[in-house]
């Protein structure tokens, strides 16, 4: 009888914004923290709270091997909402737990890592690389290791050398996490059957501002990814192009192209070079074009004139919790209140103290609230408002659209407040609004508003595409921890020169 392959599953998911407050164990515990059997149990649920990559991996492994004919060794899969650098002590503790669990499993036949890939720690630029290297040292050189990565990953040489295959997402908003987990399983199966992959990596001095990284038709990054997929054939089995995450501010920042071949590094190199030249030639398309706050106010005024007017969805990419933003800056809110904007909803606004006050006061009460009363970040200014408490919620709901479709979302205790024409949904678990579910779950009809404001860079798009076309989506240029305007930041570690921050950046194939 054929031996059942024993496969470890692990993952550490954090996108670190160098400028945001540090990230502690509690941030992971609040978001995603699965240990041992909990991982396999959660991955089998219909609407799991675990990363969909893990669900995809399990589902494909069961298909390829049969449910009982592979042995899963679930170790640790954890993830935080994007935040600042992870604290050294907690990260090292995580690594030690992971190491012990891998060792306790005995000889392994393969490892699947469900990783984000853009973490920074308080003591190192490359916690992802350190983790990959640790796994490699535990399992030895011959054991296949496959990882999935968010396309915002910043890739180090240590990451590519420690792992055999790096499968990056190909969609932004990320709606292919499940599919990439499936792909990781199928690559692992091939390697167990004897395939020995080769890969070639090129990093470009190109740090794409967040709003230019969409993968829909007409966006440069999407065009590049689709071009890359044309090279897939019997030999080239994966083309990964990671646009990276600027706010990590690390020496390893820069769009990274990784091409995997079933036969030779030379074949992978030829494809990687073609893609790198194409990306570089296209670089001016990565310069963001945003709308001023003044213009945004004008559009909101126009939208509220009558029901016949086109509604708009205003995005605040500079305060995107999905990139480490606090989800609570008040630039747009203050301007909209001052301009008398009506029939507008802000979904969602992170303010634990405001939610608590609303809960204490009760539904239908009239209260005065100072937003951001407990917040210390320089961009999160306080704002006094009068509000009526419309409704209170536990914050747990099932998603139907975009990235939360088929999953359970949890905004923590949530309060819907009416500021006199502007509705604001206050949450107590920091995250971005990823779909219209973040409005409808709280008893509101997303299609009834003439303007909607979301603190998100782009993930909301998949979850609002049934209500808004691209030309109804307005990216507003206001300050914040995740502003696409890269010249707003004092960079310490980005390799310079880098495009589009430095216009005179040059690059050539060696
Ligand atoms: Zn991402």
């Amino acid at each position: 009888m054929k031996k059942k392959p024993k496969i470890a599953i692990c993952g550490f998911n954090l996108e670190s914004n160098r400028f945001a407050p540090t990230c502690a164990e509690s941030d992971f515990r609040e978001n995603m923290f699965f240990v041992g059997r909990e991982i396999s149990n959660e991955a089998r649920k219909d609407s799991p709270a675990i990363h969909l990559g893990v669900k995809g991996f399990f589902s494909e492994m069961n298909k390829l091997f049969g449910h009982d004919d592979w042995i899963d060794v679930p170790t640790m899969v954890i993830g935080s909402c994007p935040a600042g650098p992870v604290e050294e002590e907690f990260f090292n503790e995580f690594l030690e737990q992971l190491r012990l669990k891998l060792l306790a499993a005995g000889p392994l036949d393969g490892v699947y890592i469900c990783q984000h890939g853009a973490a920074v720690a308080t003591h190192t630029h490359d916690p992802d690389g350190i983790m990959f290297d640790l796994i490699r040292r535990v399992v030895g050189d011959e054991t296949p290791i496959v990882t999935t990565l968010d396309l915002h990953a910043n890739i180090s040489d240590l990451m590519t050398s420690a792992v055999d295959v790096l499968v990056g997402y190909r969609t932004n908003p990320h709606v292919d996490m499940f599919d990439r987990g499936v792909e990781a399983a199928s690559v692992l199966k091939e390697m167990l059957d004897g395939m020995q992959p080769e890969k070639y990596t090129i990093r470009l001095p190109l740090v794409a501002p967040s709003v230019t990284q969409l993968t829909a038709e007409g966006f440069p990054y999407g065009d590049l990814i689709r071009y890359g997929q044309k090279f897939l054939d019997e030999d080239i089995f994966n083309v990964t192009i990671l646009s990276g995450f600027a706010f990590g501010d690390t020496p390893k920042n820069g769009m990274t192209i990784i091409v995997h071949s079933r036969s030779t590094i030379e074949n992978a190199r030829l494809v990687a070079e073609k893609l790198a030249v194409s990306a570089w030639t296209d670089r001016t398309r990565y310069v963001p074009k945003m709308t001023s706050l003044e213009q945004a106010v004008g559009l909101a005024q126009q939208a509220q004139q009558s029901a016949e007017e086109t509604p708009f969805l205003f995005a605040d990419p500079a305060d995107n919790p999905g990139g480490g933003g606090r989800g609570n800056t008040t630039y747009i809110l203050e301007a909209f209140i001052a301009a008398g904007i009506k029939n507008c909803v802000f979904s969602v606004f992170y303010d634990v103290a405001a939610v608590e006050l609303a809960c204490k006061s009760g539904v239908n009460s009239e209260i005065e609230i100072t937003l951001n009363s407990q917040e210390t970040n320089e961009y999160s200014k306080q704002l006094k408002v009068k509000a009526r408490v419309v409704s209170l919620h536990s914050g747990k709901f099932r998603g139907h659209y975009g990235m939360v479709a088929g999953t359970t979302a949890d905004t923590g205790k949530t309060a819907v407040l009416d500021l006199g024409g502007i509705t604001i949904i206050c949450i107590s678990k920091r995250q971005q609004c990823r779909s219209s579910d973040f409005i409808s779950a709280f008893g509101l009809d997303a299609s009834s508003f003439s303007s909607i404001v979301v603190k998100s860079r782009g993930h909301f798009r998949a979850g609002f595409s049934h209500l808004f076309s691209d030309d109804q989506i307005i990216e507003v240029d206001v300050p914040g921890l995740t502003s696409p305007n890269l010249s707003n930041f004092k960079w310490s570690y980005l390799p310079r020169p880098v495009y589009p921050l430095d216009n005179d950046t040059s690059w050539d194939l060696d």
Side-chain angles (χ1 to χ4, degrees), residues 165-366:
V165 176
L166 301 93
V167 177
Y169 304 166
R170 300 200 276 271
T171 59
N172 186 20
H174 310 325
V175 289
D176 65 334
M177 293 189 271
F178 180 91
D179 296 341
R180 298 290 75 79
V182 167
E183 184 177 348
S186 96
V187 169
L188 198 58
K189 165 91 164 66
E190 247 198 88
M191 289 183 71
L192 291 170
D193 291 343
M195 192 265 282
Q196 294 188 328
E198 296 282 354
K199 62 181 176 297
Y200 194 84
T201 305
I202 299 179
R203 186 192 307 129
L204 289 166
L206 171 61
V207 170
S210 55
V211 291
T212 67
Q213 297 178 352
L214 295 168
T215 53
E217 289 293 334
F219 288 93
Y221 185 44
D223 292 348
L224 182 66
I225 285 180
R226 282 182 285 278
Y227 179 44
Q229 295 309 297
K230 293 196 173 143
F231 292 96
L232 296 181
D233 58 19
E234 279 172 11
D235 182 41
I236 302 296
F237 67 91
N238 174 279
V239 173
T240 281
I241 305 175
L242 305 158
S243 55
F245 184 62
F247 306 115
D249 187 23
T250 71
K252 57 176 182 158
N253 272 90
M255 182 182 283
T256 303
I257 295 160
I258 309 169
V259 179
H260 299 83
S261 157
R262 289 186 175 94
S263 62
T264 65
I265 194 167
E266 184 56 18
N267 288 358
R269 182 177 69 82
L270 289 173
V271 174
E273 288 183 351
K274 272 186 197 163
L275 291 167
V277 168
S278 169
W280 190 249
T281 309
D282 228 11
R283 67 190 176 283
T284 56
R285 291 175 68 201
Y286 290 91
V287 177
K289 299 175 197 74
M290 296 176 62
T291 301
S292 72
L293 181 55
E294 205 182 1
Q295 285 173 300
V297 167
L299 291 172
Q301 281 170 328
Q302 179 195 314
Q304 71 186 29
Q305 296 301 321
S306 78
E308 275 67 55
E309 292 288 342
T310 308
F312 289 106
L313 195 165
F314 298 94
D316 181 358
D319 187 29
N320 170 25
R326 302 295 297 159
N328 60 12
T329 67
T330 55
Y331 302 98
I332 299 177
L333 180 61
E334 196 173 3
F336 274 29
I337 291 173
I341 300 303
K342 305 268 185 251
N343 199 26
C344 167
V345 61
F346 279 67
S347 173
V348 287
F349 189 95
Y350 171 64
D351 193 329
V352 180
V355 173
E356 271 167 16
L357 180 61
C359 288
K360 226 184 254 171
S361 310
V363 172
N364 270 328
S365 60
E366 307 271 344

Side-chain angles (χ1 to χ4, degrees), residues 15 116 150-152 174 459:
E15 185 179 73
H116 184 288
D150 191 288
L151 56 73
H152 293 106
H174 310 325
H459 283 335

Side-chain angles (χ1 to χ4, degrees), residues 19 207-212 246-247 286-292 317-319 379 457 475-491 494 500-501:
F19 308 98
V207 170
S210 55
V211 291
T212 67
F247 306 115
Y286 290 91
V287 177
K289 299 175 197 74
M290 296 176 62
T291 301
S292 72
D319 187 29
Y379 295 111
R457 179 270 314 150
E475 291 164 343
V476 188
D477 190 5
V478 285
L481 276 169
T482 57
S483 167
N485 202 338
L486 297 185
S487 58
N488 283 352
F489 296 85
K490 198 170 165 288
W491 303 97
L494 270 193
L501 201 50

